[in-house]
Amino acid sequence: MNKKNNRLVGAGVLSAVAASLCCITPVLALISGASGVASTFSCMEPARPYLIGITVLVLGFAWYQKLKPRTAEEIQCDCEEDEKKPFMQTKTFLGIVTVFAALMLAFPNYAHIFYPSNDNKEVVIVNASDIQTVTFDVKGMTCNGCASHVENDVNKLPGIVKVDAIYEEATAKVEFDQTKVSVAQIEEAINGTGYKVVGKK
C-alpha cells in the first residue's frame, strides 16, 4: 500500500467518524459534563447516508488496491519487496482501520449503552392526583444516543416518574409529580442537552 492508499484509508476513517459525529457528540458531552454541545453535529444527520457510502467506497477501493493481482511490470520491478513494509502499508493495518470504521458507522445503534440506567431511581409520590404526563416535541434528536441523553438529564430532576424519549417521533414523554417539578423545569432540562423543545401537549 503506497502513500496514495494511506490517504484513502485516512479519508475512509474520516468519513466514518463524520457519519457518526451526530451520535458520538452526546456521549462525549455526557462524559465531559458539557451537555450543551451535544447537538452540535446533529445538522450532519441528513448527510449520514452519503458519508457511509463514501466510507464504503473508499475502504473498498483501498482493499481492491491491496488485494488486486500484480501486473507483469510490477513483478519485474520487484525492488521494494526485499524491504519490510511499514505497518501502515500492511493488510493488518487496513483490517484494523476497516473494523474501526465499521464500529464508528454502527455507533448510533449502541450509543445508548453509555448512558447510566435510571431503573433504580426512587420516586416518592404523596398523591396520585399530582402525577402529570406531558409530551414534549424535541428538535435535533437523531439517534438512540440522543434520546438517552434527554432521558438521562430529565431523570436528574426531582419528582420524575418516567421519561420516554423517542428520536424517530422527535418526542419526549415525561410522567412527573407536579408538586416537585414544573413543566418549565423539564423543558429547561431538555433544552440544556442542546436539543430544542418546539412544542408540548
Side-chain angles (χ1 to χ4, degrees):
M1 196 186 315
N2 56 27
K3 287 182 180 177
K4 182 180 177 184
N5 283 353
N6 283 346
R7 285 194 291 268
L8 279 175
V9 169
V13 169
L14 188 62
S15 58
V17 171
S20 300
L21 268 178
C22 58
C23 302
I24 293 171
T25 312
V27 172
L28 295 177
L30 174 72
I31 293 166
S32 69
S35 62
V37 299
S39 65
T40 306
F41 294 100
S42 62
C43 60
M44 294 187 74
E45 177 62 20
R48 183 171 161 72
Y50 304 107
L51 291 168
I52 291 172
I54 290 169
T55 303
V56 171
L57 286 173
V58 167
L59 289 177
F61 185 71
W63 274 108
Y64 168 76
Q65 290 288 94
K66 189 69 183 166
L67 298 174
K68 73 176 181 179
R70 295 189 303 165
T71 63
E73 292 174 3
E74 289 172 334
I75 292 170
Q76 272 185 339
C77 180
D78 216 2
C79 25
E80 292 184 6
E81 290 301 314
D82 295 337
E83 301 174 15
K84 186 177 178 184
K85 290 183 179 180
F87 178 68
M88 289 182 67
Q89 294 182 3
T90 63
K91 290 178 190 173
T92 304
F93 177 72
L94 184 55
I96 291 169
V97 166
T98 303
V99 169
F100 175 77
L103 288 171
M104 288 295 96
L105 293 177
F107 190 81
N109 299 319
Y110 61 84
H112 63 279
I113 65 172
F114 292 98
Y115 290 91
S117 172
N118 290 300
D119 294 340
N120 299 329
K121 184 176 177 178
E122 186 178 323
V123 179
V124 178
I125 301 167
V126 178
N127 191 344
S129 64
D130 291 332
I131 300 301
Q132 184 179 356
T133 303
V134 176
T135 301
F136 297 86
D137 297 320
V138 184
K139 184 180 178 184
M141 295 190 299
T142 56
C143 69
N144 285 328
C146 303
S148 295
H149 188 197
V150 169
E151 290 174 358
N152 181 65
D153 279 25
V154 172
N155 267 310
K156 291 177 183 175
L157 297 170
I160 300 296
V161 178
K162 185 179 180 186
V163 184
D164 190 17
I166 304 170
Y167 81 93
E168 296 97 339
E169 297 174 8
T171 61
K173 186 177 180 181
V174 184
E175 191 177 342
F176 60 98
D177 184 340
Q178 61 188 351
T179 64
K180 295 179 181 171
V181 66
S182 68
V183 172
Q185 288 173 306
I186 296 169
E187 184 173 340
E188 186 181 337
I190 295 171
N191 288 336
T193 62
Y195 309 109
K196 184 76 176 165
V197 174
V198 293
K200 49 189 173 284
K201 48 188 175 284

